[in-house]
Amino acid sequence: MKAVRFTAWKTFPSIEEVPRPVPGPGEVLLKIAGAGACHSDVAVFEQFDESMGEQLAPAYTLGHENSGWIEEVGPGVTGVKVGDAFLSYGPIGCQHCPACSRGQDTYCYNAATQPYLATGLGRDGGMAEYMTVPARNLVPLGDADPITAAPLSDAGLTPYHAIKLALPKLAGGGKSALVIGLGGLGQIAVQILAALTGADIYATDMKPEAMAEAQKSGAIPIEGGEGQAERIREATGVRASTRCSTSSA
Ligand SMILES: [Zn+2]
Ligand SMILES: [Zn+2]
């Protein structure tokens, strides 16, 4: 199969022919539907060097935000079947410490002694026709399009994490959320806010085309630049911070 390989430190990746991987115990083989390119990928091949250590040392296939369909099920895996569509959560910890047990592999207690950090970061990733992944890293896609959903497994997690923590503050009606910066993560933030909250979503950026895109997802655009803060206050009904003191007799 073809794969995008990171072959040496500070070397641009190359497309190579490699053997199709075989899922080990507890793993599945995914036929890749979508593999997002993250800015971290650029750091991997442009900036990283030996000082990063063995966990990220080449050679391996890039791609840590992936989705796909199950092609093969490894020994001991139950509850999934060939053809089912999943997102693949990238980070892979020790799988048994308290953090990994909560599904927070990014906080793995044993991260320093793991052989790699994630699929596509030290272990073969999804910029290939097929990829193996532990079955515990699969997130069902339901009726979402497996191809366009791939970035939700990485770029989507940052805004989702922030919005999830803010959900109690956004509930109850008459609330506003402001998304500052409408690159990839900001655009996904607008979509997640629209899906999970009833808040008015304001979005601001210096690029008119980025604001137009956010508007399509339900955001109310606020022009950046001079006077931006005043426009935000006016739109959201928040007055400039004046401290109000009351005295009681
Ligand atoms: Zn990433
Ligand atoms: Zn762990």
Side-chain angles (χ1 to χ4, degrees):
M1 67 169 191
K2 285 194 168 54
V4 178
R5 303 283 292 173
F6 169 51
T7 54
W9 297 117
K10 305 216 173 187
T11 302
F12 195 81
S14 51
I15 297 177
E16 291 182 0
E17 196 65 36
V18 295
R20 189 167 115 172
V22 176
E27 295 182 343
V28 301
L29 179 71
L30 279 188
K31 181 176 165 56
I32 294 296
C38 172
H39 199 266
S40 306
D41 293 316
V42 180
V44 168
F45 64 78
E46 273 191 0
Q47 293 166 20
F48 289 5
D49 58 21
E50 288 79 358
S51 67
M52 300 305 295
E54 280 302 305
Q55 283 179 321
L56 285 165
Y60 52 88
T61 301
L62 291 173
H64 57 270
E65 48 183 54
N66 308 301
S67 58
W69 301 275
I70 292 190
E71 178 80 11
E72 243 180 270
V73 176
V77 176
T78 54
V80 297
K81 61 179 194 305
V82 171
D84 287 348
F86 290 93
L87 273 187
S88 162
Y89 176 64
I92 302 173
C94 73
Q95 311 190 22
H96 56 73
C97 75
C100 287
S101 300
R102 291 194 300 270
Q104 291 181 308
D105 291 41
T106 38
Y107 299 117
C108 176
Y109 290 20
N110 302 307
T113 53
Q114 293 307 297
Y116 43 73
L117 297 183
T119 47
L121 292 169
R123 168 181 166 136
D124 287 340
M127 291 189 189
E129 294 171 65
Y130 297 91
M131 173 186 79
T132 59
V133 64
R136 68 187 284 279
N137 284 50
L138 299 175
V139 180
L141 270 174
D143 60 359
D145 173 8
I147 296 171
T148 57
L152 292 177
S153 67
D154 186 52
L157 290 182
T158 307
Y160 176 72
H161 185 68
I163 292 165
K164 203 172 165 212
L165 292 173
L167 281 180
K169 292 188 193 316
L170 294 172
K175 304 293 172 61
S176 302
L178 173 66
V179 179
I180 302 170
L182 296 168
L185 271 60
Q187 298 289 351
I188 294 178
V190 170
Q191 294 171 46
I192 295 173
L193 282 164
L196 296 186
T197 80
D200 292 332
I201 306 160
Y202 295 92
T204 188
D205 195 280
M206 297 299 283
K207 293 188 188 137
E209 64 273 20
M211 288 199 289
E213 192 63 34
Q215 199 171 7
K216 283 190 221 158
S217 307
I220 303 159
I222 297 182
E223 206 182 321
E226 186 91 14
Q228 179 194 45
E230 290 70 26
R231 285 191 287 280
I232 291 168
R233 287 194 192 102
E234 198 179 321
T236 58
V238 177
R239 276 185 285 276
S241 66
T242 48
R243 201 157 283 221
C244 176
S245 63
T246 53
S247 58
S248 54

